[in-house]
Amino acid sequence: MQKVAVIGAGTMGNGIAHVFAQNGFTVHLIDVAQPALDKALDTIVRNLNRQLAKEIITEAVKQSTINNLHTFTDLAAGVKDAELVVEAATENADLKLRIFRDLDQFTAPGAILATNTSSISITKIAAVTSWPGKVIGMHFMNPVPVMKLVEIINGYATESEVTDTVRELSLKLGKVPCIVNDYPGFVANRILMPMINEAICALHEGVAGVESIDTVMRLGMAHPMGPLQLADFIGLDVCLSILRVLHDGFGQPKYAPCPLLVNMVTAGHLGVKSGKGFYKYEGAGKDLTVSDRFRQ
């Protein structure tokens, strides 16, 4: 397998394209907007330069990675002859279903269709295609060039050969694949999102402030960052979307999103991407300063 198409040039899409290209694959990065593609390429080059400065890669690897990347605004042209397609569009079920209906028409027979969804049912996505056995979840973690985990999710009809192929591909990327089955939130977000939601509830109920909650989890539980800061980096809108999938899928009150989270998303306070969430992010380097609203 040499040709990979990645749909979506956002944070996850450009990271996925980066790791495939760095490992010798020809990558077609696809997005409807050329400025998004230009920004993605700039991000990839910056990340490659960071790796080069840390002596993680050589100049030759940097150049070959860049040479392996090709951008497309036309989906049909971008996925033509691709042996693997990884969809990394916005976490929106209707959008993903529409993309996979199109992929069913435009991809070559036998191509593996993977989705980077963090919570949406693989079985539901696969059902809109003619070959549901070729559809699988390939859930990378952010930032993709750094994080080792790939959560591989089998849909109800996913063929074992497809699972084996994706597992082997993940190993070639230097990742650690973990194979799970198709239930709401899979494993990663079924465990992570209730923890983040509970931290938001603790803030909402006045148990402690942002800094205190995050410090307890960092120093007491050895987490690299606190749950509220992590929520900001994930995107509060994404957290809310995943919690709603969990709540709808399991029907249990413990998955109900905290009202504070709902209000913050409604107000447009989405975390790093909007410049304000549980923390404020100011300046080109996104320096972290705690929002006065949540100080104790």
Side-chain angles (χ1 to χ4, degrees):
M1 184 175 291
Q2 286 300 315
K3 284 190 175 182
V4 175
V6 178
I7 301 172
T11 300
M12 296 305 296
N14 74 60
I16 294 166
H18 177 155
V19 296
F20 272 106
Q22 187 174 316
N23 284 278
F25 293 86
T26 298
V27 179
H28 291 185
L29 181 58
I30 306 162
D31 199 285
V32 294
Q34 186 61 48
L37 291 167
D38 295 339
K39 181 179 178 182
L41 291 179
D42 287 343
T43 299
I44 292 169
V45 171
R46 285 200 309 272
N47 288 335
L48 287 168
N49 286 335
R50 189 175 293 115
Q51 290 176 307
L52 187 62
K54 294 180 179 180
E55 300 183 342
I56 297 170
I57 62 171
T58 64
E59 179 66 31
V61 170
K62 173 188 167 181
Q63 290 303 320
S64 67
T65 301
I66 294 169
N67 292 339
N68 285 336
L69 288 163
H70 309 273
T71 61
F72 292 80
T73 55
D74 181 74
L75 180 64
V79 301
K80 183 181 179 182
D81 298 329
E83 297 155 285
L84 169 69
V85 179
V86 182
E87 172 273 314
T90 304
E91 191 71 355
N92 177 285
D94 291 338
L95 174 61
K96 290 183 186 293
L97 293 176
R98 186 163 66 250
I99 289 171
F100 273 79
R101 288 190 187 98
D102 289 340
L103 290 177
D104 195 45
Q105 301 177 48
F106 300 145
T107 52
I112 295 174
L113 307 182
T115 173
N116 184 58
T117 181
S118 54
S119 62
I120 298 167
S121 168
I122 308 303
T123 304
K124 182 177 181 179
I125 291 171
V128 304
T129 72
S130 301
W131 303 99
K134 301 296 183 184
V135 179
I136 194 166
M138 201 174 185
H139 180 205
F140 291 84
M141 304 294 128
N142 185 34
V144 180
V146 175
M147 300 292 280
K148 291 292 187 182
L149 177 66
V150 176
E151 191 177 29
I152 298 172
I153 308 102
N154 285 322
Y156 182 79
T158 304
E159 298 169 1
S160 59
E161 293 86 353
V162 170
T163 305
D164 292 341
T165 298
V166 171
R167 178 181 178 278
E168 291 301 317
L169 282 171
S170 300
L171 291 171
K172 287 180 180 178
L173 298 178
K175 304 300 184 184
V176 178
C178 289
I179 298 170
V180 306
N181 291 317
D182 188 17
Y183 289 88
F186 317 133
V187 170
N189 282 312
R190 181 172 179 171
I191 295 170
L192 175 63
M193 285 302 151
M195 183 194 74
I196 287 175
N197 197 46
E198 194 63 28
I200 299 171
C201 286
L203 176 65
H204 183 53
E205 294 166 9
V207 177
V210 169
E211 291 173 291
S212 295
I213 291 169
D214 277 355
T215 300
V216 166
M217 297 305 291
R218 283 192 298 104
L219 301 185
M221 313 306 167
H223 291 192
M225 68 173 67
L228 300 176
Q229 185 184 3
L230 178 56
D232 275 356
F233 276 80
I234 293 170
L236 302 190
D237 53 337
V238 175
C239 292
L240 179 58
S241 175
I242 295 169
L243 282 164
R244 283 174 169 161
V245 168
L246 291 169
H247 193 219
D248 291 344
F250 291 114
Q252 298 179 23
K254 68 178 180 179
Y255 296 114
C258 178
L260 175 58
L261 175 62
V262 175
N263 283 343
M264 290 178 72
V265 172
T266 302
H269 297 180
L270 309 180
V272 173
K273 69 177 75 176
S274 69
K276 186 173 184 181
F278 295 106
Y279 297 87
K280 288 181 181 177
Y281 303 87
E282 299 172 349
K286 294 295 185 185
D287 296 327
L288 194 65
T289 57
V290 179
S291 170
D292 290 339
R293 179 181 176 189
F294 296 118
R295 282 189 183 275
Q296 279 200 310

